[in-house]
Amino acid sequence: MTYLPCVEIEPKQAANASVIWLHGLGANGHDFAGVVPMIALSSEHQVRYVFPHAPEINVTINNGYKMPAWYDILAMTLERKIDMSGLMASVEQVQKLIQREIDRGIDSQRIVVAGFSQGGAVAYQSALTFTKPLAGLMVMSSYFATAKTIKPHSQNLALPVHIYHGSADPVVAESLGLNAMTYLETLGYQPQYHRYAAEHTVTAQQINDISQHIQQFLAINTTS
């Protein structure tokens, strides 16, 4: 079986949990690898961080130039006009990475899925429709592209979800993050929303919050 190429950061001891973190448009798996030393987790959580590289495709809104992207964006309307088939193809690849972590011996309930911007849209669909229960979902500066069509899997109907968004984001308006929270509540979730005085980025405070939330996810599902 073939998988997306990834940057992987192993813990000091054998991994007993995993975080799969998806980058944004035009970036790659190295984009967030540098934050790992800032995510200080307690020693019982030996986390493998997996940062996949999106494939390079032609992106319509960027004059058709080829760049790393999880799917094509056809128009920069507020809600985004996107290539849904491309998004679903990326979801399939991400879910293969989740299954690979399970095959490596990680309990599905100790796997966290995270995504920034375009990667967050893929993360929503990937985590909520995965067929085994996961630990948590973290979405940063993003939007819920499949909110009106998604059919969450029964195993992840109670998945903890955290949304992080900058109040001055000029790329993905904060209203889209708030809309995602509303859509999730309609689906029966209880998402936690975190606002930052920031633009389209991840701040030090946000990394600190992410660290706490990963520990909360994993504390619920601590291995013996």
Side-chain angles (χ1 to χ4, degrees):
M1 184 177 292
T2 59
Y3 299 95
L4 290 169
C6 303
V7 176
E8 296 190 14
I9 300 177
E10 294 286 346
K12 293 180 180 179
Q13 302 175 30
N16 61 23
S18 299
V19 173
I20 300 174
W21 194 324
L22 312 181
H23 62 75
L25 176 67
N28 60 39
H30 294 283
D31 199 35
F32 288 105
V35 308
V36 170
M38 301 170 62
I39 303 176
L41 304 180
S42 53
S43 60
E44 71 264 29
H45 305 310
Q46 296 295 319
V47 175
R48 174 187 296 121
Y49 292 89
V50 179
F51 300 97
H53 300 296
E56 291 200 354
I57 64 172
N58 297 315
V59 178
T60 301
I61 60 164
N62 287 334
N63 297 315
Y65 292 140
K66 184 172 284 189
M67 63 182 60
W70 297 108
Y71 51 85
D72 190 16
I73 300 178
L74 307 174
M76 283 294 285
T77 58
L78 179 62
E79 293 287 348
R80 300 295 191 277
K81 183 178 180 183
I82 70 172
D83 172 21
M84 194 62 70
S85 63
L87 184 150
M88 296 306 293
S90 287
V91 167
E92 181 180 355
Q93 292 302 311
V94 171
Q95 290 186 334
K96 284 168 63 176
L97 291 177
I98 299 172
Q99 184 59 50
R100 183 174 69 170
E101 291 307 296
I102 297 170
D103 295 342
R104 286 168 158 180
I106 305 298
D107 187 323
S108 71
Q109 295 182 83
R110 289 181 60 79
I111 298 174
V112 177
V113 177
F116 177 82
S117 196
Q118 195 189 51
V122 175
Y124 273 126
Q125 184 74 21
S126 299
L128 299 181
T129 66
F130 194 67
T131 59
K132 300 179 181 68
L134 300 174
L137 170 62
M138 304 185 299
V139 178
M140 297 150 264
S141 305
S142 190
Y143 52 98
F144 196 169
T146 56
K148 296 177 182 179
T149 58
I150 193 170
K151 295 181 179 179
H153 195 276
S154 59
Q155 290 294 311
N156 281 297
L157 290 176
L159 184 68
V161 182
H162 285 260
I163 300 171
Y164 313 82
H165 218 108
S167 59
D169 192 330
V171 179
V172 179
E174 188 190 5
S175 61
L176 295 179
L178 293 168
N179 286 348
M181 179 175 67
T182 300
Y183 283 132
L184 287 165
E185 290 172 342
T186 300
L187 291 168
Y189 293 92
Q190 297 180 322
Q192 307 265 335
Y193 189 88
H194 311 276
R195 176 183 289 110
Y196 304 88
E199 296 189 355
H200 195 64
T201 187
V202 174
T203 68
Q205 179 59 53
Q206 188 173 337
I207 294 300
N208 182 65
D209 292 344
I210 286 170
S211 174
Q212 293 183 34
H213 300 152
I214 291 175
Q215 294 194 83
Q216 290 170 9
F217 295 151
L218 298 183
I220 297 171
N221 302 296
T222 301
T223 57
S224 57

